[in-house]
Amino acid sequence: MKRLLPVLVQACGLCAQDPSDVPLGLNLPTAQVLEMGDIGVRFTHRFTERARSNGYDAYGLDGYAFAAVGLDFSFKALKGWNLQLYRTADQRTFTAAIHKQVYAGDIWRAAVRVERYDEVVRDNRTTAGVREGKVGSTVLVPVEAMAGPVTFSLVPAYVNRSATRAEAIFTVAAALRWDPSEKHRVHGEYYPRPGKLSDVRVAFNSTTRELEPGWALGYTYRTRGHRFSVMATNVLGTTAHQVLAGDYNGIGPVRGGDWVLGFNVVRIF
């Protein structure tokens, strides 16, 4: 027993540690980080065809999709620091991010994330009033509170410009995750309409409407080194400046009652 005691203590300490993971929920960043020099590869897809009442095209799976790939890096000598490089076909956007976990306790944890984005697609004359080709920065502060298998998070975010306004936007997104077991996770995310865009109206199919808040609801299956997430969402973007600004592509989230399918696949090495 004396020989086994140190082993058991060490094992319990390892179990209590936060596991190394790519800091990605559905669209929002989490307060987790990769550790010990791990590398994560993420693939994302967001289908653009509306899923509601469209079973004849496999609920949007037959339609066009925005595909993306990203790399997340951790460094043994820099505990809590992650670097991300991400490219999505959506506006041909390249994103570079630095992610730092600033606190990790038993009840709550927090991180700071700074992103630089560059949309290669430039202004289109046929979409007057929409700012394509944006280059700018986003600052996010994911804060998570944990109560057993449930994690609630708030993500205050600063976006320096949007698709309809050339001014900075501040917003606070929210997420809720439930982990009934080590392999299964159910989570939802909510992206409120930024206050500065409350008077913005968008045009789609010859009709105008107010910007709507965004949401995503998904299920994640986790195995050793793999994360597979499938979701329903009313936002087509995957980057912070597209999702949280609320006015993606000048039309914002798809109109009320409609939604699209999407998925994330993450591999950790």
Side-chain angles (χ1 to χ4, degrees):
M1 289 298 296
K2 290 183 178 180
R3 293 179 180 179
L4 287 176
L5 185 60
V7 177
L8 292 174
V9 171
Q10 183 179 10
C12 291
L14 291 173
C15 292
Q17 292 178 1
D18 195 27
S20 176
D21 204 350
V22 170
L24 173 67
L26 296 174
N27 287 314
L28 292 176
T30 68
Q32 290 181 279
V33 286
L34 285 173
E35 296 284 8
M36 301 300 294
D38 289 345
I39 297 175
V41 182
R42 62 173 76 182
F43 300 93
T44 65
H45 262 64
R46 298 295 182 271
F47 294 91
T48 59
E49 183 67 35
R50 307 304 189 258
R52 186 185 184 192
S53 301
N54 281 298
Y56 63 89
D57 63 1
Y59 292 92
L61 297 183
D62 293 338
Y64 180 76
F66 290 125
V69 61
L71 293 172
D72 291 75
F73 303 91
S74 64
F75 309 94
K76 291 184 178 181
L78 298 173
K79 181 176 177 57
W81 288 87
N82 282 182
L83 171 67
Q84 184 207 57
L85 303 174
Y86 182 75
R87 169 71 181 217
T88 173
D90 189 354
Q91 305 295 317
R92 299 182 181 179
T93 304
F94 178 79
T95 304
I98 296 176
H99 186 97
K100 175 66 171 72
Q101 189 178 67
V102 295
Y103 181 79
D106 295 332
I107 300 177
W108 70 280
R109 59 190 171 209
V112 175
R113 183 182 184 87
V114 179
E115 297 184 354
R116 181 70 175 175
Y117 61 86
D118 184 354
E119 295 181 354
V120 176
V121 173
R122 298 308 175 191
D123 287 331
N124 187 341
R125 294 180 181 178
T126 63
T127 54
V130 179
R131 300 175 58 85
E132 290 106 352
K134 300 185 296 298
V135 179
S137 302
T138 306
V139 180
L140 305 103
V141 185
V143 179
E144 299 178 343
M146 297 162 286
V150 177
T151 301
F152 175 74
S153 64
L154 291 175
V155 185
Y158 165 89
V159 184
N160 77 325
R161 65 185 64 188
S162 72
T164 53
R165 295 282 174 87
E167 57 182 322
I169 291 172
F170 178 79
T171 186
V172 181
L176 184 66
R177 302 197 301 270
W178 175 47
D179 296 88
S181 70
E182 184 179 353
K183 291 185 177 182
H184 304 282
R185 169 176 289 175
V186 178
H187 40 161
E189 297 179 351
Y190 178 74
Y191 326 111
R193 180 183 60 189
K196 283 191 175 181
L197 302 181
S198 60
D199 61 338
V200 171
R201 296 189 65 84
V202 296
F204 185 73
N205 288 342
S206 301
T207 62
T208 61
R209 58 179 174 84
E210 293 183 346
L211 283 176
E212 299 188 18
W215 57 268
L217 180 64
Y219 163 76
T220 297
Y221 181 77
R222 296 176 291 182
T223 63
R224 184 176 180 85
H226 287 84
R227 311 285 186 268
F228 178 75
S229 302
V230 61
M231 73 198 74
T233 179
N234 71 340
V235 297
L236 301 180
T238 54
T239 66
H241 80 280
Q242 293 167 338
V243 172
L244 298 178
D247 60 348
Y248 160 79
N249 204 26
I251 60 174
V254 300
R255 63 183 181 180
D258 281 346
W259 49 278
V260 300
L261 290 171
F263 68 81
N264 301 336
V265 178
V266 174
R267 175 70 170 97
I268 301 174
F269 297 93

